[in-house]
Each structure stands twice: as structure tokens, then as C-alpha cells.
DNA sequence: CGATAATCGAGACGGTACGTCAGGTCTTGGC
DNA sequence: GCCAAGACCTGACGTACCGTCTCGATTATCG
């Protein structure tokens, strides 16, 4: 089932693309994701609607690219800092995450994405592959290092450990369940570390 | 300027209310939350649109009442089982939560709510008060019991501990980040418990 | 094959209807039929597009009602003048027709209709029934009177005779084939009458 | 400000031209004039849109050339048959006209043109010069012959007489006012001839 | 027990945005 | 430099729902 006439990316106008993404970014911030419309983006970007529909399947995809994919292409995430002290490093990362989630611009965009993927599995897959997956894997890599350094027990399932770190943050944020601040991030790290560090003298 | 004519709840037609909630429930399951419309509910319920707008402020509120408020009114949640074994009890609860999230009917409705609260703080507050808060507090109460029974350290912040339990589950589910099954629930409980149980001979 | 939900004419807003027809009339005159759009009518009338689509199937139907059906409902046309002098009466009618066709307002509207019915048989039927048919039949009735008064031969097919009168006028006008003025109308009547009047002394 | 780049007819690709006209012809027949699009023609002809816009000003002009101009260049029309019997000759011509108008292929194209010229005076002029004018003039020439042969009165205005012949045919056809068949053509000729032939013994 | 007032089903209304289609212009690469 | 291909901006299409409004026709209290 081939698509009827796949657009030829080599002919794609990069000025149009840039102004669409710029307009999307600005509009998410000024009116919020749920008030965002394709027509609004097109008008603000000085672009025909068709030019948006030609290259993106949905408004979610546009915003995704505008905000999130900008951060460095697909599938790569920088390694975490490694000071040798796993607790310090994890706190650094979770604090950064909290600050990002509290940044109004990122907040608006990512909340929109979160809402969108509840009804759009395709977009969800893309989001996980491009953004959440790499972030998670970077944590896992750092934990592996800590494991080798005997700061974390051998037997720990690092995927679950990572959920223990990120899960609390995202739950508070997505479900608006409570204050989300640096202190909370520190508490989570402290507690989670207790779960995974080696027993001393047991 | 008095409010034009505040709805008089005593005159409310209960058959209309019931058929609206029933229609909402059926439609969420058959077409999904995002495809749900007020007009669709009204048509299926054999009800005028105004009858919906008179009593609910938004489609989110209707679905909220149709699915979630049904479970027992506002603010109360049953206590957790208490077998004396905190690990067993927590596993029971988290397994139940996972199964609920995997139930198609609950999944569709709750995903809709999750999407909606990203842009509707009012609904978010209601959801937290009615559903998520009580669930969380029930866990906290059980943990307090365990604390008294010396199964959990005194110094633990039980709110953070609860996040450690629920956070991983909700992150996997909301962000569609990975397999969500009973084994995962067990792993989370096992790991989280390590974080909060008393040190032995340390 | 019933239409899904036929609009209930009793609920129809007469102010909306009137402003739509008024806007259509003004726009045909100011921008011409082919530049006319449903959106333009709706905007000028201060009306939702759906309100137009609810009651009319096409822009042709709106204009038809705006201009032509206004003239007195369906299927009735006033009788021709009858002075006893068939030539004088026919000249009166054909002159009036020519003047109507030369009136800019009628010209624009009727040209639009003429264009439209080339591709819309349904509208064509309506136009013939409501406007052209009655006009033609009025002529036929007058000719019958003349026949009874021995001013026209018995054996003449009055339908063909009527075409002989109107055909030349419409051809010149529709196909823009030549000057269309009162003198031409008179010539046509004079010539056509020669075809249908009784032979004298033959 | 010089004209940007006047098309140089000498460089014109004749294969492109031919396939455009062929595609136009086929599409008018298969989808009808009003459903015809420039894009459709270009796609069917395997031609860029610009190639059409370069050489024709409008879709009407393409169809005009595809169908009508094909019949023999500009401004010339073959003389009518002249058997010496004016009635027979006119019947031959009007019958041929009726048959042409009833031919589906010609019908579709010419109806499109008729619709188009209601809003495009330029095209109207071209159509009259190339097609309708010559046809009319051929009739006039034949009538002149008949006049010289005393079959038609001296005093008759032959232009009006020609309208008496063609007008009825075109009115029935363009306005879809009634059955258009050979018998009607014969009736028109018979009646019109009564209008223009010499009085006998009057 | 009848007046009266709010609710009810229904759906028309003025709007906004949708996603599609075609128009006519402009750009790119190949011949 | 014409050509095919097709991206681009524009603007209209016809549809879906929104939330408000207006209609009788039930109810269901209250004088």
C-alpha cells in the first residue's frame, strides 16, 4: 500500500519549514497547545495549509519537531555527567529534568505531546524513540558504570531502577499531583539510591 | 447582575442523567475519548445538547462522572488490605492497579482524562481530589501502619515513598514507555521496599 | 432513500433567509456570478455557512431564489396583455424581455443561471418549471386567443411558434451573437407573425 | 517593464500540444466540462501545468481549441448545400445541427463553452468569430442565393431570418426547454420559411 | 388543583477549524 | 530554453462540532 505520491524531500523549501516550526513554537507558548491550530500556524508562518499537511501528519507531529526533535536529531542523548559519585550525578540529572518540566515553554509543549500520545500511538512511538528512550538509556548507562564501580548491586534490574527515578517526577508533573521542585528531586534520588546500593555489612 | 438561572438540581431528570452517562461510557469504549463529541453523546442518549451543557461544563466532566466518579463518590477510598506483610499488601495493590490500567474500558477513559487535564487545571484538581488523592492516601495510611510495625524506617517521607511505588507504573502507562505487567509491578514493589525498610545491622 | 434528517422548515429563521438572499443579490451585482462564493454570501449576510448549506443545495439555487423565484412563486406567470392586436401585444412582451435581459442586475443573475444549468440538470428543471415554462405558456395562451380570433392559422403548432419568437432573442443574448435591442425584438415579431398569420386570398 | 518572456511559438513542442488537446478531449467526455481541471489535463497528458499555462489563457481556451477549432481553422465555414430547393437545404442543415448538438461529445464540450462565455467575453468573441459567425454567414449566403432565385422576398433582413432558424434550436438546447429532435428542426424550417417566402398572389 | 416556571427533546443558529482540491506562480533538474 | 515534475501560497470547498438560542411539550412544585 504505497502512499499515492510521496513528497520529494529534496524539493522541500527550508524557509517554509523553518517558519512553520518557528510559528508553532511561538504559538504553543502564546496560546497553549490545545488552542493551537494548523490554520493558526499556517497564517503565522505565512504559509499555505497544504504545505503543512504535505510534510506532517498532524499538529502533534509539527509541535514534536518544533520543540523536541530540535534537541539533537533522533535517538542520541548525551551521556550523563560522571563525577564518580553516583548520587551527585543522579541529582544533577533529576534536578535538570525538574527544571525543564517547570520551564513554561517546555511545559506547554510537552504537556501537549503527552495529551496527544494518549490517542496517537504512532506519535507515542516516535516520542519514545527520539526523546524518552535516549534519556532513559543514558541513565541506564550511568547506572551500569556505577554498578561496575560497586556503587550499585549487581543483581539490580537497571530498567526498573530508572523507572524508580523518573516515574515519581513524571507522575507528579503529568497528573499534577503535587509540588514538583528540586527538593523533591533530591528526595527521590536519595530514596531510590537506598534501594539499589549495595548492602553494607549485612 | 445575578446569575441568569442557576440550575435547580431538584428538578433534574434522573433518566436523562443516566442515559447521558451510559451513552458517554459506551461511546468512549466504541470510538475512543478523542473521537467523542457532545453531539454524539446527546444523540446516543436521546437527549438535547442543552441538557448536557446545563449540568456539565465540558466533555471531560461528563466522562469523568461516567467512569470515575461512579466508583464511590468524592474523596473516599477503601483502605488497603493489611495482612501484616507490607510487601504482600503492596504487591496486591500495585498488581490491581496494573490490571485496571490494562482493562480496555478503564484505559480508554483514563487516558482521555489524562490528556484532558494537561489543558484543564480545574478538571485536574477534581481528578486528583476524587480519584488519585484518595488512592495515594490509602497507600500512605498502609505505610504508616507498616512504620508503626517497624517494617519501615521512621525517617522515611511516605509521600515520596508512595511516588516511588506509583510513579513507575504511571510513567510506563502514560508515556507508553514499556511493557506494563504484573511482573513489573512486583519488581517495583520489591525494589521500592528496599529503599524504605529498616537497615538490618548496619 | 430518505435524506438523513430533513431540515424542519417551520424552525427556519426568516431573518437569516432574507439576509442571505439580499447578500446574494448584492454580490452577484458587485462581483458577478462566477466570482460569487458561498463563503462570501455567508460573510456578507453575517451567517454561518452551514445555514446556507442547510437550505440550499448549491450556490446556483441560492441565486435562483434570490433573483428569479422572487418574482412570484412557482409556476404562475401573469397573462400577456390582450389588446386584440396580436402584433402589438407580442411586441410589448418581446420588448420587455429584451429590456429585462439588458438590465445589468438581471443580466448578471440570469447569465449565471444559464451557465449553471449546463452542468446541473436539477437546477435546469427547476428553472424551466418556475420561470421559463410559465413565460412560454403565457405566450401560448395569448396565441391561442389570437387563433380563436382568426389572427393566427388553425394548423400552427403554437409551441414551435413560441420558439420562433423567443429563440432569436435568447440566442443573441446567450451566445453574445449580436446587438440585442428593441428594433431587433420588433423585427422578430414582424417576421414570425408572417409565418403564423392566415394566408390572405391564397 | 517588458513582458517577462513572450512564448516563442517556434520552440513549441508539438507533441506536448497534441497530448494536451487529446487529454482535454477525453476528459471532457469522461468527466464533463465542469469537472475538468487544468491539473487533470496536465496529469493525463503527462505534461507540466506550466506548459498549459504558457500557451493557453484558461481552461475554456484549451477546450475550445481541442474541440471546436479543430474543425477547420478560423473564420471559414463550408457553404451549404445548394440543391435549388431552399427548404430541403435548410432542413439538411438544421437537422445536422440538431444531430451535432445531440452527439454526447459535442454536447459536453459546447455546453462547457456556452457556460464559460457567460463570464468570459474574450472567449465569447473568439467563439463567435471562429464557429458561430461562419455558420451563420453560410446560412446568410444560402439565403441570398434563394433571394436571387426569388424563393425569398427581397425585403427580408437575412440576419433576422437566420436567427429565426437557429434561435429555436439553441434555445431548446441551451435552456433545456424541450425535446430537440429532427421533427422539431423540420417544423422550424417549415414555419420560418412561411415568414420569408414571397407572397403568392396577395 | 390549577398556575407557573424550569427541564426536557429537538435542532437552527453564528462560528471556528478541519482536511481537501484546484488555481496560478515559481523553482529545480534533465534534455 | 523548453519541458516534466511538483512545491508553493492562496482561497474556496463542504463537513463536523462547538456552545448558545429558541421552540413547543412535558413535568413538578407551590399558591
Amino acid at each position: 500500500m504505497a502512499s499515492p505520491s510521496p513528497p520529494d524531500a529534496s524539493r522541500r523549501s527550508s524557509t517554509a519549514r523553518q517558519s512553520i516550526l518557528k510559528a508553532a513554537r511561538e504559538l504553543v507558548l502564546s496560546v497553549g497547545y490545545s488552542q493551537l491550530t494548523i490554520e493558526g500556524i499556517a497564517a503565522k508562518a505565512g504559509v499555505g495549509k497544504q504545505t503543512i499537511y504535505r510534510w506532517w501528519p498532524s499538529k502533534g507531529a509539527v509541535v514534536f519537531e518544533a520543540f523536541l526533535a530540535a534537541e539533537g536529531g533522533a535517538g542520541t542523548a548525551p551521556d550523563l555527567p560522571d563525577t564518580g559519585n553516583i548520587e551527585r550525578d543522579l541529582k544533577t540529572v533529576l534536578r535538570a529534568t525538574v527544571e525543564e518540566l517547570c520551564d513554561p515553554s517546555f511545559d506547554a509543549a510537552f504537556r501537549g505531546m503527552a495529551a496527544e500520545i494518549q490517542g496517537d500511538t504512532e506519535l507515542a512511538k516516535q516520542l519514545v524513540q527520539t526523546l524518552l528512550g535516549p534519556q532513559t538509556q543514558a541513565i541506564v548507562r550511568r547506572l551500569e558504570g556505577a554498578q561496575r564501580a560497586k556503587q550499585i548491586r549487581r543483581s539490580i534490574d537497571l530498567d526498573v531502577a530508572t523507572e524508580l527515578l523518573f516515574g515519581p517526577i513524571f507522575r507528579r508533573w503529568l497528573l499534577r499531583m503535587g509540588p514538583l521542585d528540586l527538593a523533591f528531586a533530591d528526595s527521590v534520588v536519595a530514596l531510590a539510591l537506598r534501594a539499589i546500593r549495595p548492602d553494607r555489612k549485612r
Side-chain angles (χ1 to χ4, degrees), chain A:
Chain A
M1 183 165 48
S3 97
S5 61
D8 176 357
S10 75
R11 290 201 177 288
R12 185 168 189 179
S13 156
S14 105
T15 67
R17 178 168 177 276
Q18 292 305 329
S19 42
I20 288 165
L21 296 177
K22 183 158 175 287
R25 245 171 282 140
E26 292 174 12
L27 283 171
V28 164
L29 296 185
S30 62
V31 305
Y33 180 86
S34 65
Q35 307 301 324
L36 185 66
T37 66
I38 298 277
E39 292 207 329
I41 298 174
K44 178 143 196 167
V47 140
K49 276 199 286 182
Q50 202 62 50
T51 301
I52 299 182
Y53 284 113
R54 182 152 37 231
W55 302 108
W56 291 276
S58 66
K59 104 179 174 182
V62 179
V63 174
F64 175 65
E65 189 168 338
F67 274 85
L68 310 172
E71 310 206 352
T76 49
D79 274 332
L80 264 57
D82 185 348
T83 65
N85 181 335
I86 182 66
E87 178 163 14
R88 186 192 301 166
D89 293 348
L90 289 177
K91 281 187 176 167
T92 304
V93 171
L94 258 71
R95 281 164 168 250
T97 303
V98 165
E99 283 184 323
E100 201 173 33
L101 293 176
C102 292
D103 171 52
S105 129
F106 192 94
D107 178 277
F110 200 87
R111 276 193 197 282
M113 302 309 304
E116 203 73 14
I117 64 175
Q118 305 306 320
D120 182 342
T121 331
E122 193 51 46
L123 188 63
K125 197 185 302 177
Q126 209 181 341
L127 185 68
V128 167
Q129 271 179 12
T130 313
L131 216 79
L132 301 171
Q135 186 195 37
T136 306
Q137 286 146 24
I139 295 279
V140 170
R141 281 198 301 276
R142 180 65 187 84
L143 291 178
E144 284 169 351
Q147 229 168 15
R148 281 191 296 271
K150 314 277 190 200
Q151 294 171 331
I152 293 183
R153 276 184 298 125
R154 292 255 97 193
S155 59
I156 292 293
D157 180 332
L158 297 183
D159 287 328
V160 179
T162 305
E163 296 285 2
L164 235 58
L165 291 161
F166 278 139
I169 307 291
F170 277 96
R171 189 170 103 107
R172 284 225 164 164
W173 182 71
L174 275 170
L175 300 182
R176 301 175 181 277
M177 287 214 56
L180 184 62
D181 49 26
L182 300 182
F184 181 68
D186 288 350
S187 309
V188 169
V189 170
L191 212 49
L193 265 187
R194 285 196 142 268
I196 60 179
R197 71 184 177 197
D199 296 339
R200 300 186 217 151
K201 290 193 193 146
R202 184 171 285 186

